[in-house]
């Protein structure tokens, strides 16, 4: 049982209210952050503990993940990234990923936006996934833009080789949004549309401290949609949340077993 586990009487009352909100919703959208990945054992690279700290060989992680630094020192990025980001097949989707995939399959979740680059939502079976910070799945040559899949790249990176394009010799970069790069404007526009018109917004495992994530639930509440936040730490939108839970695993264990009994929507 985690430190965030809630008192059962309070928790049961809230979870019943959440079930009612889900059953009534027709256009639920979900935003997930690092907390959903850490439940699968993937370290939060912004976190203070574990494999990744906010410093690596006296360099701030923000610097390693900046595009100008990558273009000068791709070998340092790949050395930093290889232990986790190129071992993603070692991690498995957890109960949050699988429950959200089931909620989409039954017609409840209409859009899933994530800051996580680990592909676990797709591996769990979610289809309408929008990876706001990109994904480790796709790679492109910095020079000629040729496409490479994770599978083609991961072995080389694990062997300490900086992956180069077989067409032009250029450096290959993952389609993860680095500091200094723009977010995908299609995804931002889609998010604006979906969060502005949703009738239920779930925020899972994010402290909502990074833009544009912080503005997604704001679009929803501004238009009167209930906001449900599940996160271990406080967020700056807790005061406008209809429901607030602190333990992702506790919340999704309760939702998962209940949702198995819910019929698919027919719209
Ligand atoms: Zn190339």
């Amino acid at each position: 049982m985690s430190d965030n586990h809630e008192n059962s009487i309070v928790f049961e009352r809230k979870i019943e209210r959440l079930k009612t909100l889900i059953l009534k919703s027709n256009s639920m959208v979900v935003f997930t952050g690092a907390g959903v990945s850490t439940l699968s054992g993937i370290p939060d690279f912004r976190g203070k503990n574990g494999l990744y700290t906010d410093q690596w060989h006296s360099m701030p992680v923000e610097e390693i993940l900046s595009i100008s630094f990558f273009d000068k020192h791709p070998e340092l990025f790949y050395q930093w990234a290889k232990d986790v980001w190129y071992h993603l097949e070692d991690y498995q989707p957890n109960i949050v990923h699988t429950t959200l995939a089931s909620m989409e399959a039954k017609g409840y979740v209409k859009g899933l936006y994530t800051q996580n680059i680990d592909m676990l939502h797709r591996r769990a079976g979610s289809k309408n996934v929008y990876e706001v910070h990109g994904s480790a799945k796709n790679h492109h040559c910095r020079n000629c833009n040729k496409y490479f899949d994770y599978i083609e790249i991961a072995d080389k990176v694990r062997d300490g080789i900086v992956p180069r394009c077989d067409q032009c010799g250029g450096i290959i970069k993952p389609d993860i949004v680095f500091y200094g790069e723009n977010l995908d404007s299609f995804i931002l526009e889609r998010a604006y549309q979906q969060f502005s018109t949703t009738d239920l917004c779930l925020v899972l495992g994010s402290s909502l401290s990074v833009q544009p994530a912080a503005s997604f639930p704001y679009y929803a509440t501004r238009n009167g949609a209930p906001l449900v936040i599940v996160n271990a730490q406080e967020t700056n939108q807790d005061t406008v949340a209809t429901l607030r839970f602190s333990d992702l695993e506790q919340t999704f264990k309760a939702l998962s077993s209940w949702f198995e009994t819910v019929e698919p929507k027919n719209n």
Side-chain angles (χ1 to χ4, degrees):
M1 201 180 286
S2 81
D3 294 344
N4 307 310
H5 204 83
E6 294 184 64
N7 172 288
S8 62
I9 296 169
V10 178
F11 178 79
E12 288 304 328
R13 272 186 52 198
K14 289 195 295 180
I15 208 83
E16 290 309 314
R17 288 182 64 197
L18 176 53
K19 291 175 186 174
T20 304
L21 287 174
I22 291 171
L23 289 177
K24 274 167 51 186
S25 75
N26 288 307
S27 55
M28 187 192 339
V29 282
V30 182
F31 178 75
T32 70
V36 171
S37 294
T38 52
L39 201 54
S40 284
I42 297 177
D44 177 5
F45 69 84
R46 287 196 186 83
K48 302 284 182 212
N49 309 308
L51 258 179
Y52 290 171
T53 62
D54 54 354
Q55 297 263 315
W56 183 78
H57 291 264
S58 308
M59 275 182 291
V61 167
E62 282 78 8
E63 187 175 343
I64 301 166
L65 288 177
S66 78
I67 190 63
S68 55
F69 185 86
F70 177 86
D71 283 337
K72 282 187 218 113
H73 295 289
E75 74 286 359
L76 289 179
F77 163 76
Y78 279 110
Q79 207 180 319
W80 174 83
K82 74 174 185 176
D83 291 331
V84 174
W85 284 5
Y86 290 91
H87 277 274
L88 287 171
E89 57 275 47
D90 295 350
Y91 300 90
Q92 301 308 320
N94 62 56
I95 195 163
V96 180
H97 298 108
T98 55
T99 306
L100 291 175
S102 166
M103 286 179 169
E104 181 189 280
K106 287 187 181 175
Y108 283 87
V109 171
K110 301 296 188 185
L112 174 50
Y113 293 78
T114 185
Q115 274 179 318
N116 303 330
I117 55 96
D118 50 44
M119 314 179 266
L120 290 181
H121 283 301
R122 289 185 193 280
R123 277 177 54 200
S126 287
K127 305 271 190 294
N128 297 319
V129 182
Y130 300 93
E131 288 143 331
V132 179
H133 289 172
S135 160
K137 175 167 175 50
N138 306 319
H139 291 67
H140 284 90
C141 170
R142 286 289 283 161
N143 186 45
C144 74
N145 212 35
K146 184 178 174 186
Y147 174 85
F148 298 87
D149 189 86
Y150 172 86
I151 298 295
E152 300 172 72
I153 303 297
D155 277 344
K156 292 191 182 112
V157 175
R158 288 192 289 248
D159 289 342
I161 298 165
V162 174
R164 284 183 175 271
C165 176
D166 57 6
Q167 189 165 274
C168 77
I171 300 289
I172 296 169
K173 177 189 167 289
D175 289 3
I176 294 164
V177 181
F178 279 39
Y179 293 98
E181 288 188 300
N182 292 325
L183 298 172
D184 184 326
S185 58
F186 166 80
I187 291 179
L188 293 182
E189 180 58 28
R190 181 87 188 135
Y192 178 75
Q193 286 171 7
Q194 281 208 290
F195 282 89
S196 297
T197 56
T198 186
D199 60 6
L200 177 58
C201 174
L202 263 53
V203 170
L204 310 174
S206 169
S207 54
L208 296 174
S209 53
V210 181
Q211 286 292 355
S215 55
F216 295 169
Y218 169 74
Y219 300 146
T221 52
R222 187 180 60 178
N223 286 286
L227 168 65
V228 177
I229 296 175
V230 189
N231 195 50
Q233 293 81 31
E234 288 181 359
T235 84
N236 58 20
Q237 297 189 40
D238 287 355
T239 51
V240 294
T242 301
L243 289 171
R244 170 80 175 83
F245 297 86
S246 56
D247 191 321
L248 265 176
E249 192 169 24
Q250 181 187 24
T251 306
F252 273 78
K253 275 184 175 163
L255 283 183
S256 168
S257 50
W258 162 74
F259 198 76
E260 282 172 22
T261 67
V262 172
E263 294 292 318
K265 273 197 185 296
N266 26 4
N267 60 7

